Amino acid sequence: SGGLIGAIIASSTAVGDDAETLLDQSVTIPANLLQIGDVVQISGKVRASVGADNETVVLKVYWGGLLGLALAASTATDVAANDIYTFDITCTVRSATTIDLFGWHTPVPAAPGTADLKGLGGAGVQTIPTTTAAAVIGVSSNWSAASDDRVVLESLVVKHFPQ
């Protein structure tokens, strides 16, 4: 049966590191859950909790953690406090190690300085770590310099729609 795989129940810790860092809230897709033809929807929201410095941040959404597939990445953006980044990624499982990747980003209008996530490599077939192992779906941030600016993952929802 399908439906909700998981969702974070609390915001992540605010991060301002100048090395790519996986935010401390994530959702795990259980091993062997996904079958060929299944659809996975990944959506979420990241908010800049502080944005006083001039450093830029790159956000990425990962399938399989930092060593897995970056499903989407933002451009390097100088954020203002309360800027919001949302993403809505849809994947169809083609095999145990490949997915079709569809539409992925939605900026929130009316948020000052908002930048949207842009897909890496365009839509189409992408290689993932195997579906026979559990997969962490997470978001990373990488600041251009160690920063007093911070981002927080406020929402992450992963849904499963069997074929």
Side-chain angles (χ1 to χ4, degrees), residues 5 80 113:
I5 292 176

Side-chain angles (χ1 to χ4, degrees), residues 117-142:
L117 290 172
K118 302 197 183 311
L120 283 182
V125 178
Q126 302 289 327
T127 301
I128 58 170
T130 180
T131 59
T132 60
V136 172
I137 305 299
V139 176
S140 72
S141 68
N142 189 358

Side-chain angles (χ1 to χ4, degrees), residues 29-34 40 42 61-71 91-99 126-137:
I29 298 174
N32 299 309
L33 174 70
L34 303 177
V40 177
I42 302 164
V61 180
Y62 277 100
W63 178 303
L66 291 178
L67 299 178
L69 171 67
L71 299 170
C91 311
T92 301
V93 178
R94 290 177 54 102
S95 74
T97 58
T98 57
I99 57 172
Q126 302 289 327
T127 301
I128 58 170
T130 180
T131 59
T132 60
V136 172
I137 305 299

Side-chain angles (χ1 to χ4, degrees), residues 55-153:
E55 286 78 33
T56 60
V57 65
V58 173
L59 302 171
K60 293 183 181 178
V61 180
Y62 277 100
W63 178 303
L66 291 178
L67 299 178
L69 171 67
L71 299 170
S74 70
T75 54
T77 304
D78 184 4
V79 298
N82 297 313
D83 278 1
I84 296 171
Y85 305 81
T86 64
F87 50 92
D88 190 2
I89 302 166
T90 302
C91 311
T92 301
V93 178
R94 290 177 54 102
S95 74
T97 58
T98 57
I99 57 172
D100 273 330
L101 186 58
F102 310 132
W104 29 51
H105 60 278
T106 311
V108 176
T114 293
D116 59 317
L117 290 172
K118 302 197 183 311
L120 283 182
V125 178
Q126 302 289 327
T127 301
I128 58 170
T130 180
T131 59
T132 60
V136 172
I137 305 299
V139 176
S140 72
S141 68
N142 189 358
W143 291 91
S144 58
S147 177
D148 291 332
D149 291 351
R150 299 284 186 266
V151 291
V152 174
L153 179 62

Side-chain angles (χ1 to χ4, degrees), residues 4 6-12 25-27 153-157:
L4 182 67
I8 64 171
I9 57 172
S11 294
S12 71
Q25 294 288 335
S26 60
V27 172
L153 179 62
E154 292 187 333
S155 170
L156 178 62
V157 178

